[in-house]
Amino acid sequence: MAKPVVAIVGRPNVGKSTIFNRIVGERVSIVEDVPGVTRDRIYSPAEWLTHEFNVIDTGGIDIGDEPFLEQIRQQAEIAIQEADVIIFITSGREGVTSADEMVAKILYRSKKPVVLAVNKVDNPEMRTQIYDFYALGFGDPFPISGAHGLGLGDLLDAVVKHFPEKADEEYGEDVIKFCFIGRPNVGKSSLFNAILGEERVIVSDIEGTTRDAVDTVYTYEDQTYVMIDTAGMRKKGKVYENTEKYSVLRALRAIERSDVVCVVLNGEEGIREQDKRIAGYAHEAGRGVIIVVNKWDAVQKDEKTMNQFTQKIRDHFQFLDYAPVIYVSAKTKKRLDQLFPLLKTVSENHAMRVKSSVLNEVITDAVAMNPTPTDKGRRLKIFYATQVSVKPPTIVVFVNDPELMHFSYERFLENRIRDAFGFTGTPIHIIARARK
Ligand code: GDP
Ligand code: GDP
């Protein structure tokens, strides 16, 4: 489940983001209407041969107004903290610089495996320039060219060799992993603490086996939950922990490890553009989603206020129309106990499997009610549908021509499937595939 994390470090202009993009390749966003979801990427899934992992471009984490060397130093620290393997990038054009030596010293103190790459080695004649880089003390330097895509295979072969043999099974199957994400000050850490303070919550002493060691395990009515930490949930320490990019990175990592993501909104302040972006991450990752409106105690309200706020949420977060909304207060703990059964329901729906026979009945009925669309005289034909995976539920629909499956018809089918099976809180992926 937990994929290894690879971090790219190095001084500015050596080619970190170029290499990051090479490793990650082209990935298409599934939420086109959420601005900024894929722009400015610093964290992304990637694969090499049979290995799946995540890559961080630490160069994309700008650390406020800190001086140049301080920025590089903190980026290297983030790499050490977050990664299983570090790719240290230098440049064959400039040779070894004092900034490279500083990065080397920081990396050297950590126990994380480091693979040294010399970038901008654009042609074979330049290969002789890599020998100086042995002096950095990380063994054989790998000559690469991000611009031309050279040497990356050898580099990645060396990287994946350092991956742990088998990812440890972090927690059992029936444990519900979740996190709170949201803008600063919406009340994430207050919710975290309020849950731990609930009367029937029994916090487990057993530390998670995860390297982060920031998971909080507890039981409530015989169900075990794991709360996964995001940036700033605990005491703030390092300077970089207050930067936005670092918070985003931590949120993305928490989302990835969670079954259910609670998107926290500030009921007092209302919805902001940043909320939308954050919610988009949860949706894109295919996790179960609950929208938690916090600070409801501080809202001036009458009997219409809640419905009006829910309507605003539905207007702003159209891509999350499946997500239930709850109104809570971390301060007074009002309705906080409703979060537990909701987490359970959403988590079950996220992992739900439906029988093909029943699924096909639902689709046959749907088609009878609303005939399939036609395009230039050709009609979409649906032959058969089957659920191919869970978390999130993914359904493949075999058709005569996938081009004929219009977005609106897919939406219609999705709604019929939701009506029939009740997939509250989880996205459903529907894939139209041509039957051979
Ligand atoms: P970063 O600051 O470390 O992320 O570096 P960038 O990826 O932004 O690259 C800095 C500059 O180096 C850009 O102008 C790139 O086009 C250039 N560059 C990156 N990789 C190569 C390479 O392999 N060869 C050459 N000649 N230039 C490169
Ligand atoms: P985070 O940055 O999202 O972790 O937010 P915090 O948990 O640190 O909360 C930010 C501020 O909002 C603090 O001053 C909290 O006391 C306050 N706060 C959090 N939850 C509530 C709530 O339910 N009601 C009210 N009135 N204030 C809250």
Side-chain angles (χ1 to χ4, degrees):
M1 177 74 204
K3 287 189 247 174
V5 176
V6 175
I8 299 176
V9 297
R11 61 184 175 82
N13 272 318
V14 288
K16 292 183 297 301
S17 77
T18 308
I19 307 294
F20 175 85
N21 287 323
R22 282 274 179 195
I23 293 176
V24 162
E26 292 304 316
R27 274 169 190 276
V28 198
S29 161
I30 47 173
V31 196
E32 269 101 31
D33 56 349
V34 183
V37 169
T38 51
R39 224 186 310 132
D40 262 0
R41 249 176 336 165
I42 55 160
Y43 182 71
S44 174
E47 49 199 73
W48 175 243
L49 307 175
T50 57
H51 301 272
E52 288 185 44
F53 54 98
N54 286 303
V55 200
I56 303 173
D57 173 10
T58 63
I61 305 174
D62 45 83
I63 322 243
D65 299 329
E66 299 289 314
F68 159 83
L69 283 178
E70 184 57 22
Q71 298 236 8
I72 308 177
R73 198 177 64 71
Q74 298 203 5
Q75 289 169 356
E77 278 183 10
I78 292 172
I80 292 169
Q81 182 169 320
E82 306 286 334
D84 298 293
V85 184
I86 294 167
I87 302 179
F88 175 16
I89 301 191
T90 57
S91 165
R93 287 192 175 247
E94 284 92 343
V96 178
T97 69
S98 56
D100 293 333
E101 282 165 353
M102 185 196 69
V103 174
K105 267 193 200 131
I106 298 165
L107 297 182
Y108 216 75
R109 282 203 300 268
S110 87
K111 304 226 157 46
K112 296 283 164 85
V114 174
V115 179
L116 175 63
V118 182
N119 190 33
K120 309 198 186 180
V121 180
D122 297 339
N123 54 62
E125 297 85 77
M126 290 175 69
R127 278 174 164 258
T128 49
Q129 280 156 31
I130 69 169
Y131 297 108
D132 287 349
F133 290 88
Y134 276 96
L136 290 173
F138 294 106
D140 293 334
F142 287 83
I144 60 173
S145 168
H148 301 284
L150 302 172
L152 289 165
D154 289 345
L155 176 71
L156 290 173
D157 281 344
V159 167
V160 301
K161 272 196 194 123
H162 291 290
F163 286 170
E165 278 291 302
K166 222 176 82 201
D168 356 312
E169 262 316 311
E170 287 195 303
Y171 301 101
E173 267 291 295
D174 39 10
V175 166
I176 297 172
K177 290 177 281 182
F178 76 100
C179 63
F180 292 112
I181 62 167
R183 283 189 284 126
N185 282 320
V186 292
K188 298 180 294 297
S189 32
S190 303
L191 286 165
F192 184 96
N193 289 318
I195 285 179
L196 297 185
E198 281 281 285
E199 221 170 288
R200 283 182 291 161
V201 164
I202 303 157
V203 180
S204 155
D205 290 333
I206 311 147
E207 286 262 315
T209 53
T210 156
R211 63 182 159 253
D212 293 312
V214 287
D215 297 346
T216 305
V217 184
Y218 67 87
T219 53
Y220 179 86
E221 293 182 340
D222 296 329
Q223 171 68 51
T224 304
Y225 297 83
V226 179
M227 271 200 285
I228 294 169
D229 194 58
T230 47
M233 297 274 268
R234 283 141 200 269
K235 235 180 18 239
K236 297 193 166 56
K238 309 264 169 49
V239 181
Y240 59 73
E241 289 180 6
N242 296 316
T243 69
E244 201 208 319
K245 281 286 177 66
Y246 182 74
S247 315
V248 170
L249 172 68
R250 288 304 304 252
L252 291 173
R253 294 207 45 200
I255 289 167
E256 202 193 326
R257 297 187 52 228
S258 298
D259 302 307
V260 184
V261 175
C262 297
V263 175
V264 184
L265 303 177
N266 182 341
E268 205 183 0
E269 277 181 9
I271 300 163
R272 299 278 165 84
E273 204 49 42
Q274 203 187 342
D275 293 323
K276 247 168 129 164
R277 189 155 60 227
I278 290 168
Y281 298 140
H283 174 75
E284 279 225 322
R287 297 303 183 257
V289 178
I290 297 171
I291 297 172
V292 177
V293 183
N294 188 36
K295 306 200 190 183
W296 202 242
D297 62 284
V299 175
Q300 286 268 14
K301 48 192 171 287
D302 57 34
E303 69 284 354
K304 293 202 193 98
T305 317
M306 208 181 266
N307 281 339
Q308 285 164 346
F309 202 99
T310 303
Q311 195 48 52
K312 265 194 210 134
I313 291 174
R314 294 303 175 210
D315 292 344
H316 280 86
F317 303 91
Q318 284 175 21
F319 56 98
L320 284 183
D321 56 359
Y322 52 84
V325 182
I326 67 165
Y327 291 83
V328 303
S329 164
K331 191 175 173 188
T332 67
K333 296 195 173 179
K334 184 123 185 222
R335 277 187 295 269
L336 198 57
D337 56 347
Q338 290 182 11
L339 184 59
F340 300 107
L342 201 51
L343 280 167
K344 209 168 161 174
T345 306
V346 170
S347 155
E348 279 163 8
N349 290 344
H350 190 235
M352 178 155 61
R353 248 177 223 288
V354 299
K355 271 209 188 111
S356 292
S357 55
V358 188
L359 178 63
N360 283 286
E361 268 169 36
V362 170
I363 288 183
T364 307
D365 288 351
V367 173
M369 195 170 115
N370 180 5
T372 52
T374 54
D375 190 17
K376 301 192 190 80
R378 292 182 64 227
R379 181 177 291 281
L380 172 72
K381 278 204 192 89
I382 297 177
F383 300 115
Y384 186 72
T386 187
Q387 184 177 349
V388 292
S389 63
V390 294
K391 296 188 176 190
T394 303
I395 292 166
V396 169
V397 183
F398 291 97
V399 298
N400 55 339
D401 179 0
E403 297 275 307
L404 294 168
M405 176 71 95
H406 292 168
F407 177 72
S408 59
Y409 201 75
E410 193 178 296
R411 259 328 252 256
F412 163 71
L413 288 181
E414 177 180 335
N415 288 334
R416 300 309 303 157
I417 291 168
R418 286 187 181 281
D419 288 346
F421 301 104
F423 278 111
T424 304
T426 179
I428 303 177
H429 292 171
I430 295 180
I431 302 165
R433 200 167 280 164
R435 192 183 71 172
K436 296 205 186 76

